[in-house]
Amino acid sequence: MTRQTRFAAEVFGPWAKGQSTAATIDIGTWLVVTLDGGRRLELPLASLKISRGGFDLLSVVLAGTATNGEALHVIVHDVSVLAALDQHGTHAMRAQAATVARSHSRGRIWRWVASPGAVLLFVALLAGAWLGLPLLVDVAVDRIPVSLEEELGAASVESIVAGQPVLEDGPVHAAVKTVFDRVVLGVGATPYTFHLTVVDTPTVNALAAPGGQVVVFTGLVFEVESAEELAGVLAHELRHVTARHGLRQLIRSGGVVLAIALCFGDVSGLAVLVKTLGDMSYSRDAEREADTGAVAILRRARVDPTRFREFFARMAKHGSSLPAILSTHPQGDERDASLRALTAGATSSDWDPITVDWAAVRALKAPR
Amino acid sequence: MRFEILYPGSYAMAKATLAQDEQFRAESGAMVAMTSTVDVEGKMEGGLWKALKRKAVGGESMFMQTLKATRGPGEVFIAPSTPGDLALLELNGANNYFLQKEGFLAAESGVTLETVSQGIFKGIMSGEGVFVQRVGGQGKLLVSSFGAIHKLALAPGENYVVDNGHLVAWSGTVTYEIKKASSGWLSSATSGEGFVCHLTGPGDVYFQTRNAASFGQWVASFIPAR
């Protein structure tokens, strides 16, 4: 089958800023641009940079330098130009064309929002939404693929870390990683790949971001008295991840509009919110669920689950200088009692110690 | 035919000069004065469904008027209903412009007009509405603004930020994203406040010097509550 090789295009060149010139392009070994008025420009196909652009990123942008030295931006509104580039281009260009084609199809998912049925549905949803926001959030959460959640998680970790020193190796990182890997064993079947980020700041905290991301601050590492205490905090955060608490909170903070947009598959709004994730705290229900889940994870990983409660109880006694971990994980008698109930009946034959000498780890704390 | 903008500034008006049998389309109610050689016809552009959609979602009138010089050469004066300026945009058959919902004033008959969705999130947060109008085809197009119109010519990759509610028209080659205006999360997502449009070239962007919604709020503050 011979594919179409001639397309209508708009060309931006050095001759006019902002205003495009109509043109016809032919794709072969070269990209031949014939401007309205007859001027002909040629660009080697291999040097083209392909991207998306224009309204809703629905157009294809080919950027390159013509043989006469003029830098050109050729914009084609017909996406089948990608197929032509795929046929005539080099291997690298085919990869580029394929990537851009994929991103196009993602943009198209929510194009049907313009249909009349969707408009009515939107109005009906908006009316019912104030009453049923939690339900709507559930629906929206279910519609977000794990792959997107992972992208969001990576972006939010980036904004949480934001220039603070990150440990990627060394004894402290190794100790945390050992505990983390042990706890992950208890998570069981999950669609997530877990990522650990160790941030070297005195903050006594750990947090979870969507898509399997857990961030631990070294302040916490030096505060816990044993590997099991840290394991408890990590298990708690991992439960936030697998229950998608972060994502849920993110959507809730975006309100009804975002939730509805997500139900329709329009994910553009999430990216706007992602930077706020680091400042969020979870609801009491989510915290309770994370505690319950954490104890289950610890039991499956054969880690002593009682130490975790002791850590929080000890932190609560700090008095005036409450560490950050308590502001996001409110401690109360109720929580202490429920953790006590959850871990009741556990005996030392149910767990194996984590073989990290925590006193040695704590000795690595740099004087500040 | 020829469009000419008279009295540019706050109370601009356009004059269309027609040869016999030439015609153009204008927003319903835009006609101010004309020679008696011209006939005005109300038309549901694009049929009932498209007209309804335009009315319901685009904020435009269901009917457009067609002005045709049936009995010899003629002149028509047209103006938008709000105070503001006019700009003349040229469509060459290859390019498109997108207009915010109240931007269209008039166009030559070769210009095509359709309502497209820009997505719910973007629509609500941008202040330009879920639906915007895409104009294509060939010919001249008149757009109206609230306040004066400023034109920006963006080079490829050049970025600009425009507050929501101020966009009038932009080239189809311009990419735009909605972002929070500041890094803090101070305002509620549903109010649409605190969001701005990040535009990336190449292409032309026309924005208006006043925001109709803000102006409306200001006026409302003087109306005593009953």
Side-chain angles (χ1 to χ4, degrees):
Chain A
M1 196 185 82
T2 51
R3 287 186 192 278
Q4 181 189 356
T5 55
R6 173 167 290 193
F7 296 88
E10 288 182 61
V11 178
F12 289 87
W15 54 85
K17 191 181 170 192
Q19 192 72 53
S20 68
T21 306
T24 319
I25 61 164
D26 289 284
I27 294 167
T29 328
W30 292 75
L31 173 69
V32 180
V33 178
T34 312
L35 297 175
D36 242 18
R39 205 154 83 85
R40 226 172 105 101
L41 293 155
E42 293 182 346
L43 293 88
L45 213 53
S47 72
L48 288 182
K49 213 177 141 290
I50 313 173
S51 60
R52 299 181 303 161
F55 184 76
D56 273 350
L57 302 176
L58 290 172
S59 311
V60 177
V61 182
L62 310 175
T65 307
T67 45
N68 70 353
E70 289 183 335
L72 300 183
H73 272 69
V74 179
I75 295 175
V76 188
H77 300 300
D78 181 355
V79 292
S80 47
V81 71
L82 291 171
L85 289 168
D86 187 52
Q87 194 176 28
H88 293 279
T90 58
H91 180 73
M93 163 141 308
R94 299 171 73 146
Q96 262 196 80
T99 312
V100 173
R102 263 202 306 282
S103 48
H104 260 290
S105 57
R106 185 151 79 184
R108 227 177 272 145
I109 295 170
W110 52 275
R111 294 285 294 164
W112 66 275
V113 167
S115 72
V119 172
L120 289 176
L121 198 58
F122 175 71
V123 173
L125 275 174
L126 199 61
W130 294 113
L131 305 166
L133 183 61
L135 187 72
L136 201 60
V137 169
D138 286 345
V139 175
V141 165
D142 286 344
R143 299 202 56 146
I144 293 176
V146 169
S147 59
L148 177 67
E149 204 184 335
E150 282 171 348
E151 275 176 48
L152 288 172
S156 58
V157 167
E158 220 167 87
S159 80
I160 289 163
V161 171
Q164 301 180 83
V166 170
L167 298 181
E168 281 172 3
D169 43 34
V172 174
H173 180 269
V176 178
K177 187 81 171 81
T178 306
V179 178
F180 183 74
D181 289 344
R182 174 72 179 274
V183 178
V184 166
L185 289 178
V187 172
T190 170
Y192 301 104
T193 313
F194 295 104
H195 292 279
L196 171 70
T197 307
V198 182
V199 181
D200 191 15
T201 61
T203 313
V204 180
N205 209 353
L207 46 90
Q213 298 281 355
V214 174
V215 180
V216 177
F217 298 90
T218 50
L220 175 70
V221 176
F222 299 130
E223 190 68 40
V224 295
E225 285 178 358
S226 67
E228 280 77 8
E229 287 184 359
L230 181 65
V233 177
L234 292 178
H236 175 96
E237 296 306 331
L238 284 170
R239 183 58 195 153
H240 278 315
V241 170
T242 56
R244 304 183 112 181
H245 288 154
L247 194 60
R248 220 168 278 269
Q249 193 63 19
L250 189 66
I251 295 170
R252 208 169 287 149
S253 76
V256 174
V257 172
L258 178 72
I260 291 177
L262 288 170
C263 289
F264 282 104
D266 179 359
V267 297
S268 53
L270 272 183
V272 179
L273 286 170
V274 95
K275 284 206 185 327
T276 63
L277 201 68
D279 316 325
M280 282 180 189
S281 54
Y282 298 116
S283 69
R284 269 180 184 280
D285 283 345
E287 288 303 336
R288 209 171 293 132
E289 192 188 339
D291 278 349
T292 314
V295 171
I297 289 171
L298 292 172
R299 281 176 186 264
R300 277 197 297 272
R302 295 186 61 79
V303 175
D304 181 356
T306 59
R307 311 291 294 277
F308 163 44
R309 181 184 62 79
E310 286 164 17
F311 169 68
F312 276 104
R314 199 171 69 243
M315 285 294 99
K317 290 200 194 89
H318 255 256
S320 57
S321 60
L322 279 179
I325 199 162
L326 286 184
S327 70
T328 49
H329 298 86
Q331 178 69 5
D333 294 342
E334 186 206 324
R335 186 179 183 200
D336 192 61
S338 75
L339 275 177
R340 205 181 278 275
L342 284 167
T343 54
T347 60
S348 56
S349 63
D350 294 339
W351 53 77
D352 309 318
I354 301 174
T355 50
V356 176
D357 178 359
W358 211 257
V361 174
R362 294 184 79 189
L364 296 167
K365 181 177 178 177
R368 290 187 197 266
Chain B
M1 74 162 295
R2 197 160 53 90
F3 282 125
E4 190 186 342
I5 297 171
L6 307 174
Y7 319 115
S10 304
Y11 295 96
M13 179 168 74
K15 176 184 172 186
T17 310
L18 303 166
Q20 177 152 12
D21 291 329
E22 275 187 333
Q23 59 174 2
F24 71 99
R25 287 168 304 165
E27 182 192 20
S28 178
M31 199 277 290
V32 175
M34 61 185 191
T35 55
S36 58
T37 50
V38 177
D39 278 340
V40 187
E41 223 182 291
K43 256 192 197 164
M44 283 190 295
E45 194 69 34
L48 180 63
W49 166 244
K50 278 198 172 166
L52 270 173
K53 184 167 137 186
R54 203 165 50 235
K55 170 74 182 165
V57 301
E60 283 283 316
S61 156
M62 238 176 101
F63 294 89
M64 289 249 188
Q65 53 182 212
T66 302
L67 298 120
K68 188 173 182 184
T70 24
R71 291 176 297 278
E75 286 175 1
V76 183
F77 292 94
I78 48 172
S81 49
T82 51
D85 209 351
L86 300 177
L88 200 55
L89 274 53
E90 175 119 33
L91 291 150
N92 59 16
N95 63 343
N96 286 303
Y97 281 100
F98 287 85
L99 309 181
Q100 59 109 337
K101 57 186 188 288
E102 275 129 21
F104 178 84
L105 179 66
E108 289 181 11
S109 49
V111 173
T112 59
L113 195 61
E114 63 176 319
T115 306
V116 294
S117 159
Q118 54 169 344
I120 292 171
F121 184 81
K122 208 189 231 181
I124 291 173
M125 298 310 178
S126 67
E128 314 304 340
V130 174
F131 295 87
V132 292
Q133 290 183 308
R134 171 161 59 196
V135 291
Q138 209 144 14
K140 289 202 165 63
L141 166 79
L142 273 170
V143 293
S144 66
S145 64
F146 186 64
I149 294 187
H150 188 83
K151 176 182 157 179
L152 281 174
L154 298 180
E158 189 179 349
N159 287 303
Y160 229 91
V161 179
V162 176
D163 189 19
N164 62 2
H166 282 267
L167 276 177
V168 174
W170 61 99
S171 303
T173 51
V174 168
T175 311
Y176 96 84
E177 287 180 283
I178 307 299
K179 289 187 181 163
K180 278 194 302 163
S182 58
S183 56
W185 185 253
L186 299 169
S187 47
S188 118
T190 44
S191 74
E193 278 300 315
F195 286 89
V196 291
C197 306
H198 277 238
L199 304 148
T200 308
D204 284 339
V205 174
Y206 294 82
F207 63 85
Q208 57 193 12
T209 58
R210 292 292 182 274
N211 179 326
S214 312
F215 179 73
Q217 282 165 14
W218 181 77
V219 170
S221 70
F222 292 101
I223 300 173
R226 272 189 292 178

